Amino acid sequence: MFLLKKNISIILFIAVLMAAMSFINASEKSKLSIQFHHMVGSKLLKLDSVFYENELNQSFTISKFKYYIGNIQLKKKNGTSFNYNTYFLVNEEEELSKQIELNNIPDGEYNSIRFILGVDSSHNCSGIQTGALDPINAMFWAWNTGYIFLKLDGSSPASNSPKNIFEFHIGGYKQPNNCIREINLNFSNPLIISSTNKSTIHIKTDVIEIFKTPISIDLSKISSVTNHQYSTTIANNYADMFSLITDEK
Amino acid sequence: MKNKFTIVSIFTLAFCVFTAFINSENPYFIITKKDVELKIPKGFPKPIYKFKLNQPTPEGFILGRKLFYDPILSKDSSISCGSCHQRIAAFAHIDHTLSHGINGLIGNRNVPPIQNMIWQTNFMWDGGINHLDLQPIAPITNAIEMNENLKHVIQKLQCNNNYKILFNRAFYDTIITSEKMLKAISQFVGLMISANSRYDKFMRKEDTLSQQELNGLKLFRLHCAACHKEPLFTDNTFRNNGLLTDTSLKDFGRFAITGLEKDKMKFKVPSLRNIEMTYPYMHDGRFRNLKQVVNHYAKGIFLNETDELIRKINLSEKDQVDIISFLKTLTDKTFLYDIRFAEPL
């Protein structure tokens, strides 16, 4: 009995030592920022003031643009990957929200980044969440539980809704209306993460893609999308709105 | 003169200390650790709601109760959860067909009772809400119920010193968040458990039922229990019990949530506990009394292709009366008069 106790203390001691060592190892983990650049085609996105055009030459302005990013995964050359389990709400109105900071990324060379636009089913089904997913952020449907993954509001003379507005509030984590889209972006040159240089990935988020490919959105017919009808159409469109900006300045 | 002044000040001071004492130490009446213990009633299944992740404490429960009865959660401080959910009606709204909200606006559904929520998988008549903690966000933000926004509610609570104290007691933190607010409400609402009706006592062999009630129970098990499954009196599914759609409300129930044609006119099978107290009946309160309900099952069912379990039920006049007498054994006075759930004064 006494021996057992002694053994346990030795094991405990080693465990503490190992924990302490892994803590020291943490110095080999570094930071990464991801900067989102909101564009509409070749123009910078500016809320309310600038007119843009879709493929059908319908002009429109944008008053709100925000979306959830989550389940970020960075893939190394050797096939291993690193998962970052935090959600971010990127909001055009809040400059800071467009630059997200990831901490404790293991140093190394990475080939690609993967993330989802949306909120996965487990976070939609396990009750009240905090942080970016706090329902006070008003990206949440109360009467039909679930997060709104993306909000794009604006107005267009082509729209037949009251005051010519259009509203795309896209969400839904259940089949057949699942609007979560996985985004995969490959780096042309490996991304090197080390404590000696600060790494930033620049991603272009092109709003015009929400209006096209594969389906061209006619604002005179589709101006209010909240659930079920057309939500997956818009989701298929936004699946390709992200791209890497390679030539960094 | 000076003396009088001192006496008055001493009295005022004593009064202040006294009220401060009432306010801070024992806001209403005492809730003990035992009062917030979850006891699973005999024969009940394992709860769906995980109290492990939101362990009820007397302080959390008191906070939840205060929030439940406080109109601060509504935009113009006129309506609380308790305005629509009344204790004497097992937290349904007695004698109201459709709910009444802010500015006298009328909602489109009948207020259901709140009882045994921790065994429920989905909430609301259409089951649109998938977790008890998230349920209060719906009435708080609904334009014709409390018409508030969540961010503003949290700000209002944060500005209120009394709430700062209560949140600090419950969660050891004066910073108020939606998570803490909702979890406190769940502690209060989740402990609303009804399991001590005459039916329950009969099942536990502590009481007997009359011949008429027993016959009613037999008929109930034959014709009704497939959907209204004992001991919760619901099987947590969505079904069409043969009601014709109300043409003015155009409420298609579950269809609004799933968008699937097969879910048109399906509603959550409601529990029948305390049914005597929760009139009127059905999602739109169309039936005033149990006689009309049972008569619907016997004669008024609108047969359609949507639910295999529903068929015209052959019930004589006497059978109908017997079923109703059985339904009344589901009234649980212990729950209806439970002082823990009363509005604090």
Side-chain angles (χ1 to χ4, degrees):
Chain A
M1 188 61 201
F2 177 71
L3 254 176
L4 189 74
K5 265 198 181 152
K6 201 166 178 187
N7 273 341
I8 286 176
S9 23
I10 290 172
I11 290 167
L12 265 176
F13 178 70
I14 293 173
V16 169
L17 201 71
M18 278 167 71
M21 275 165 65
S22 70
F23 196 68
I24 295 167
N25 272 341
S27 67
E28 290 181 36
K29 292 184 174 170
S30 308
K31 281 185 182 170
L32 168 68
S33 1
I34 304 176
Q35 174 81 51
F36 289 94
H37 300 265
H38 292 171
M39 311 278 287
V40 187
S42 57
K43 296 183 189 169
L44 270 177
L45 171 60
K46 276 193 116 177
L47 293 183
D48 300 314
S49 49
V50 179
F51 278 90
Y52 309 99
E53 258 184 21
N54 66 4
E55 285 185 323
L56 302 168
N57 297 330
Q58 297 168 325
S59 70
F60 61 87
T61 59
I62 290 171
S63 58
K64 188 180 280 175
F65 181 51
K66 44 186 185 173
Y67 51 87
Y68 276 118
I69 294 294
N71 298 8
I72 299 172
Q73 188 183 53
L74 286 157
K75 273 214 177 96
K76 270 190 180 163
K77 237 177 168 171
N78 63 13
T80 61
S81 58
F82 175 76
N83 296 332
Y84 206 84
N85 298 321
T86 308
Y87 277 89
F88 298 93
L89 178 56
V90 183
N91 181 357
E92 167 59 23
E93 250 173 344
E94 286 171 37
E95 209 46 49
L96 281 178
S97 76
K98 292 196 270 177
Q99 171 146 355
I100 66 187
E101 306 282 347
L102 313 186
N103 298 313
N104 290 324
I105 314 269
D107 288 0
E109 277 187 34
Y110 292 88
N111 275 358
S112 65
I113 182 169
R114 210 183 73 170
F115 55 87
I116 59 167
L117 192 165
V119 178
D120 64 18
S121 123
S122 89
H123 286 85
N124 272 290
C125 296
S126 43
I128 177 73
Q129 309 290 321
T130 54
L133 295 178
D134 191 327
I136 66 169
N137 293 321
M139 291 287 278
F140 184 79
W141 280 310
W143 54 278
N144 187 358
T145 306
Y147 286 94
I148 301 169
F149 304 160
L150 174 139
K151 268 190 191 175
L152 177 70
D153 293 359
S155 72
S156 164
S159 158
N160 287 313
S161 291
K163 293 190 189 156
N164 300 109
I165 58 165
F166 69 87
E167 278 183 346
F168 299 159
H169 294 182
I170 312 301
Y173 59 94
K174 280 182 270 189
Q175 297 301 359
N177 301 310
N178 186 342
C179 290
I180 302 169
R181 291 295 176 273
E182 195 176 294
I183 319 293
N184 266 298
L185 302 172
N186 296 318
F187 306 126
S188 47
N189 297 314
L191 169 79
I192 295 161
I193 293 191
S194 75
S195 44
T196 47
N197 69 320
K198 186 174 186 310
S199 324
T200 305
I201 304 175
H202 293 271
I203 293 178
K204 172 179 171 182
T205 311
D206 190 351
V207 178
I208 203 70
E209 291 296 338
I210 300 175
F211 293 89
K212 63 182 202 186
T213 54
I215 305 282
S216 197
I217 302 294
D218 179 348
L219 284 167
S220 71
K221 298 206 176 92
I222 303 178
S223 55
S224 170
V225 183
T226 47
N227 68 337
H228 307 325
Q229 219 193 0
Y230 299 125
S231 59
T232 48
T233 307
I234 305 274
N236 292 339
N237 281 359
Y238 65 52
D240 64 353
M241 74 173 172
F242 297 101
S243 58
L244 288 166
I245 302 176
T246 38
D247 38 333
E248 288 175 31
K249 284 164 201 128
Chain B
M1 187 62 203
K2 204 179 161 202
N3 252 346
K4 239 187 192 166
F5 183 73
T6 349
I7 288 170
V8 170
S9 5
I10 285 174
F11 263 99
T12 329
L13 194 74
F15 183 73
C16 288
V17 169
F18 180 68
T19 47
F21 181 74
I22 290 185
N23 274 332
S24 64
E25 280 316 308
N26 175 18
Y28 311 113
F29 33 84
I30 295 164
I31 291 288
T32 64
K33 277 217 170 79
K34 230 176 128 226
D35 287 328
V36 297
E37 238 171 60
L38 173 66
K39 297 173 212 87
I40 312 274
K42 210 175 148 195
F44 274 46
K46 220 180 116 204
I48 311 276
Y49 186 78
K50 294 190 181 75
F51 266 138
K52 261 207 189 96
L53 303 177
N54 181 21
Q55 199 66 54
T57 58
E59 295 77 14
F61 182 93
I62 286 170
L63 172 60
R65 181 174 63 193
K66 170 128 175 102
L67 289 162
F68 188 89
Y69 285 109
D70 195 338
I72 195 172
L73 299 187
S74 69
K75 184 163 192 136
D76 61 359
S77 289
S78 65
I79 292 220
S80 72
C81 312
S83 318
C84 290
H85 296 284
Q86 301 166 336
R87 186 167 65 113
I88 44 149
F91 297 97
H93 200 164
I94 215 156
D95 213 15
H96 267 64
T97 46
L98 299 172
S99 68
H100 287 204
I102 202 158
N103 296 328
L105 290 170
I106 296 196
N108 59 350
R109 287 193 180 148
N110 181 11
V111 182
I114 308 181
Q115 53 186 346
N116 302 342
M117 286 292 125
I118 58 173
W119 285 277
Q120 209 160 287
T121 45
N122 291 279
F123 303 88
M124 314 311 239
W125 284 102
D126 56 22
I129 298 173
N130 69 15
H131 199 285
L132 184 60
D133 290 346
L134 300 172
Q135 193 284 332
I137 305 173
I140 290 173
T141 57
N142 185 323
I144 49 178
E145 290 184 337
M146 301 165 108
N147 194 26
E148 251 297 8
N149 84 52
L150 206 50
K151 202 174 202 161
H152 192 225
V153 168
I154 303 299
Q155 280 166 2
K156 285 197 288 187
L157 295 174
Q158 191 71 68
C159 292
N160 181 310
N161 274 329
N162 201 9
Y163 271 114
K164 263 198 242 164
I165 295 169
L166 292 171
F167 273 90
N168 192 28
R169 281 215 190 114
F171 299 107
Y172 309 106
D173 195 352
T174 49
I175 300 193
I176 297 175
T177 63
S178 61
E179 184 199 20
K180 290 173 201 148
M181 176 185 80
L182 295 168
K183 285 192 163 166
I185 296 177
S186 285
Q187 289 189 20
F188 179 62
V189 165
L191 285 169
M192 293 175 178
I193 294 171
S194 173
N196 206 26
S197 63
R198 281 186 54 229
Y199 157 84
D200 294 296
K201 290 179 187 157
F202 168 74
M203 294 301 285
R204 296 196 300 259
K205 304 200 164 57
E206 295 162 11
D207 200 349
T208 53
L209 298 184
S210 74
Q211 209 45 53
Q212 187 183 35
E213 289 161 348
L214 283 172
N215 191 43
L217 173 58
K218 205 177 89 199
L219 290 164
F220 183 86
R221 285 185 172 153
L222 196 61
H223 299 298
C224 321
C227 299
H228 299 287
K229 191 170 158 235
E230 296 169 73
L232 294 161
F233 291 85
T234 171
D235 64 352
N236 271 327
T237 61
F238 303 91
R239 299 190 187 266
N240 178 327
N241 68 339
L243 299 174
L244 263 177
T245 315
D246 183 305
T247 48
S248 65
L249 292 169
K250 295 200 181 60
D251 188 347
F252 297 109
R254 188 71 182 154
F255 173 72
I257 301 305
T258 62
L260 302 175
E261 205 58 34
K262 72 172 177 65
D263 287 335
K264 264 202 176 149
M265 278 316 278
K266 285 194 182 169
F267 290 85
K268 192 182 65 205
V269 176
S271 169
L272 301 181
R273 288 179 166 275
N274 294 300
I275 197 74
E276 182 185 5
M277 308 306 295
T278 64
Y279 61 91
Y281 302 109
M282 304 299 167
H283 67 275
D284 51 7
R286 67 176 68 186
F287 297 133
R288 276 198 312 279
N289 51 44
L290 288 172
K291 203 165 162 229
Q292 289 181 347
V293 172
V294 178
N295 194 52
H296 158 75
Y297 283 107
K299 301 212 179 83
I301 287 182
F302 170 67
L303 279 181
N304 41 16
E305 308 299 309
T306 50
D307 206 307
E308 67 286 357
L309 275 177
I310 197 75
R311 54 184 174 264
K312 280 216 165 59
I313 303 172
N314 212 349
L315 295 170
S316 68
E317 288 291 322
K318 180 182 170 295
D319 290 346
Q320 296 188 31
V321 174
D322 290 358
I323 287 188
I324 292 172
S325 80
F326 162 69
L327 290 176
K328 290 185 177 167
T329 69
L330 294 172
T331 303
D332 175 0
K333 296 225 166 83
T334 313
F335 175 60
L336 296 173
Y337 295 110
D338 192 331
I339 192 77
R340 289 176 300 160
F341 303 118
E343 177 164 11
L345 294 171

